[in-house]
Amino acid sequence: MGSILNSRSLARALLASVALAASVVLAGCDTDQVSLATNAKANQPVSPKLVAAMAEKDMDLQSPILIRLFKQEAELEVWKQTRNGQFALLKTYPICRWSGDLGPKVREGDRQAPEGFYSINPSQMNPQSAYYLSFNTGFPNAFDKALGRTGSQLMVHGDCSSRGCYAMTDEQIAEIYSLGRESFFGGQKAFQFQAYPFRMTPVNMAKHRNNPNMPFWRMIKEGYDHFEVTRQEPKVDFCEKKYVFDAAKAPDAKRDPVFDASAKCPAYVIPEEIASAVREKEQRDEAEYNKLVAKGTPVARLNTGIDGGMNKIFASKIPEGSTGLSEGAEGNTLQMLAMSKAPGTIPGTVNPPKPNIDAVAAAPQEEPVVAVSTSPSNTRVATAAPAEKSGGFFSNLGHKMGFGTADATATTSPPQATASVAPATTPTTAASRLKAAVTRFVPGHHEAAKDKPAVAAKSAEPAKPAETKVAATRPALKPSVNESAGNVTGSGVGQLAGAAPVVSSNSFDNRFSAVK
């Protein structure tokens, strides 16, 4: 059954490509359109193994998808709607590289990978990425804009290289891209992208309780909880500079509530069946959190200038590799992982996370522990920010659906270290903090070497071509990633309320018409 579905997928893609190529020739042989019609990378069918996993989980090839991503665990999950209308976990992908710190993106050039809820429509898919394939996260959304946050070209792409993006291997992004493509063929207008600092468990919340970002994290945890209890894509809105999830019209209201990220919240209600289930989960989580705090669960160290993280499976494959801010595995564990197969090709130019000496030396000599309020707050997001570059795969499709214009390019902003400080339990001088950071994160550095100054390599990504250019030296396509799929279950196929649509210049209109 799986092989039949996969064959149909390939045949449909080829037929659509031929139809698009023919229409392009008749229209005047636009070379940009021809390149799209023959783009082997973007037309790769979903792997037979993944199609078989869908059949086992009662999923259709073209049913809606939803993506969740976790920085600390360095994992990206693809969820897919089953025939009963709920979402189940299809597959978990280890993230090859992400940059910045745990916490949301604040400004252009801070190297931060975004956190929050975003909406990915067809025009945000970029088949001509210089990073093999990519899709634009849509940062900043309306919530980000209401807080004055800036940034552009924040992507999920291949090549395992990040300057504010989430980077996978080429094989991984090819598979994720194909899943998104098929969901659009099935009628999904946009899929939800949820990015978190870590899995929002009581243990992780307790470990990070003194982090200044905790109020924001408690806010987006509400959306996390809505998905956990319903296995449905949460409806996302925002008002009063906060997220609101699954808002509905009040019983006595004559029209649906209208939300504005910067304005006062309108009258709304959350359906009781959802509200009660979320409330019960929050109470259980809070009780467990309080127990962990009461027994003195250690507080996680704040970033000491380390730029991002990497899943341990990739760190094990790189000389002197480190997981950085992601969950680590050192010594024998990394050596054992080095014997396993990597999920895709790791470029030789990959830089593992390392401490930034300038950031550590510039840190204040003393740092108080920050007390953060634990009271939960409402939340909501929505909007895909317009961009100045183009290259998207489905742009005319996006126009048909009423989307606007935005980027589809991987970030090329220059490397810029994000300086954070360590908690009060760490050494209180810049020199001692630098020494500790180098000793911990730079393999080969020994405490005994006191006669030589400690030097750590400053993280610097190799120069990349502009995202809108096709990387001519890269192979045309990579094989699918052969990994086992996980499982679990949500619904909803619309774009986040208030999302600024993203449309690029390359047309996919004819191909989609041929398929539909």
Side-chain angles (χ1 to χ4, degrees):
M1 179 65 177
S3 61
I4 294 174
L5 288 175
N6 196 59
S7 298
R8 289 177 180 173
S9 174
L10 176 58
R12 184 178 61 255
L14 292 174
L15 177 62
S17 296
V18 170
L20 176 58
S23 65
V24 165
V25 171
L26 293 174
C29 202
D30 186 304
T31 56
D32 203 32
Q33 302 290 352
V34 170
S35 69
L36 286 175
T38 58
N39 192 313
K41 295 183 296 183
N43 287 322
Q44 292 179 73
V46 177
S47 70
K49 187 171 183 178
L50 210 50
V51 171
M54 291 179 203
E56 291 176 5
K57 297 173 187 290
D58 199 29
M59 301 168 177
D60 292 318
L61 178 64
Q62 295 185 346
S63 67
I65 67 167
L66 179 148
I67 290 178
R68 298 200 306 180
L69 183 148
F70 306 93
K71 289 180 177 178
Q72 181 174 281
E73 291 81 3
E75 291 181 341
L76 181 152
E77 298 176 342
V78 175
W79 293 67
K80 198 164 180 64
Q81 194 177 57
T82 63
R83 292 189 180 99
N84 70 4
Q86 291 186 309
F87 279 84
L89 180 60
L90 174 61
K91 186 168 181 178
T92 299
Y93 298 84
I95 298 172
C96 195
R97 191 74 167 87
W98 61 272
S99 61
D101 197 355
L102 298 181
K105 184 172 183 64
V106 175
R107 63 184 179 279
E108 184 84 51
D110 62 6
R111 292 180 64 86
Q112 282 288 101
E115 293 175 7
F117 287 68
Y118 299 87
S119 182
I120 315 301
N121 67 53
S123 66
Q124 288 163 262
M125 308 289 281
N126 185 8
Q128 305 221 70
S129 171
Y131 298 79
Y132 198 72
L133 290 167
S134 65
F135 66 81
N136 192 324
T137 64
F139 178 92
N141 59 33
F143 168 80
D144 300 318
K145 291 177 181 178
L147 295 179
R149 294 176 178 173
T150 58
S152 59
Q153 322 297 329
L154 281 305
M155 317 292 289
V156 176
H157 58 68
D159 202 50
C160 193
S161 175
S162 174
R163 293 175 185 159
C165 298
Y166 293 108
M168 317 299 292
T169 63
D170 292 352
E171 291 87 348
Q172 288 176 315
I173 193 62
E175 195 166 271
I176 296 167
Y177 192 99
S178 70
L179 291 170
R181 180 196 67 215
E182 292 301 318
S183 77
F184 294 136
F185 284 154
Q188 186 174 21
K189 294 183 178 179
F191 64 82
Q192 195 170 91
F193 176 74
Q194 306 175 5
Y196 300 97
F198 39 72
R199 296 187 187 280
M200 312 301 276
T201 63
V203 172
N204 281 334
M205 298 298 279
K207 287 180 179 178
H208 294 277
R209 61 187 179 273
N210 281 331
N211 192 296
N213 292 302
M214 184 52 69
F216 170 72
W217 291 340
R218 281 188 170 273
M219 183 172 62
I220 62 174
K221 182 181 182 295
E222 291 185 24
Y224 178 93
D225 290 344
H226 277 240
F227 181 71
E228 286 289 305
V229 302
T230 66
R231 291 293 187 247
Q232 300 283 335
E233 178 184 296
K235 175 178 173 289
V236 184
D237 291 293
F238 33 76
C239 55
E240 299 178 9
K241 299 180 180 179
K242 65 181 181 182
Y243 282 79
V244 179
F245 297 99
D246 288 319
K249 180 173 63 175
D252 57 345
K254 295 182 179 180
R255 62 174 186 171
D256 292 332
V258 177
F259 289 88
D260 185 314
S262 300
K264 182 179 178 179
C265 291
Y268 69 88
V269 296
I270 297 174
E272 182 55 30
E273 64 273 17
I274 298 177
S276 59
V278 170
R279 189 162 52 245
E280 289 175 7
K281 181 182 186 303
E282 288 177 343
Q283 290 171 352
R284 292 193 302 270
D285 288 351
E286 194 67 18
E288 180 64 22
Y289 168 87
N290 290 333
K291 288 180 183 178
L292 292 166
V293 173
K295 73 178 186 179
T297 297
V299 176
R301 295 181 61 185
L302 298 182
N303 183 2
T304 53
I306 304 155
D307 183 21
M310 168 180 281
N311 190 281
K312 53 183 175 283
I313 186 65
F314 295 111
S316 70
K317 307 295 182 183
I318 301 171
E320 300 188 346
S322 168
T323 54
L325 298 177
S326 294
E327 288 182 340
E330 307 299 336
N332 292 336
T333 306
L334 277 180
Q335 292 176 11
M336 292 175 63
L337 286 172
M339 304 297 291
S340 60
K341 184 178 179 181
T345 305
I346 307 175
T349 55
V350 171
N351 288 325
K354 293 178 182 177
N356 183 297
I357 290 184
D358 292 340
V360 176
Q365 295 202 359
E366 294 190 14
E367 177 187 44
V369 174
V370 181
V372 178
S373 168
T374 60
S375 59
S377 57
N378 292 330
T379 174
R380 152 59 191 200
V381 66
T383 188
E388 298 164 5
K389 295 190 179 181
S390 61
F393 189 63
F394 299 81
S395 56
N396 278 354
L397 170 59
H399 279 300
K400 276 191 168 185
M401 294 179 175
F403 300 127
T405 309
D407 68 75
T409 1
T411 178
T412 54
S413 58
Q416 201 168 336
T418 304
S420 283
V421 284
T425 55
T426 58
T428 57
T429 66
S432 58
R433 266 202 297 261
L434 172 60
K435 181 178 179 181
V438 172
T439 301
R440 181 178 177 187
F441 291 101
V442 179
H445 174 83
H446 301 289
E447 178 70 22
K450 299 180 183 286
D451 56 328
K452 295 182 180 180
V455 178
K458 188 173 182 179
S459 175
E461 296 290 346
K464 289 285 179 184
E467 171 66 16
T468 50
K469 296 180 181 178
V470 181
T473 59
R474 302 186 63 75
L477 55 87
K478 299 285 182 77
S480 298
V481 182
N482 292 319
E483 289 189 274
S484 61
N487 66 4
V488 197
T489 15
S491 171
V493 297
Q495 184 171 352
L496 298 186
V502 183
V503 177
S504 44
S505 62
N506 292 321
S507 173
F508 185 65
D509 186 41
N510 292 312
R511 177 182 168 197
F512 185 83
S513 299
V515 174
K516 297 302 288 184

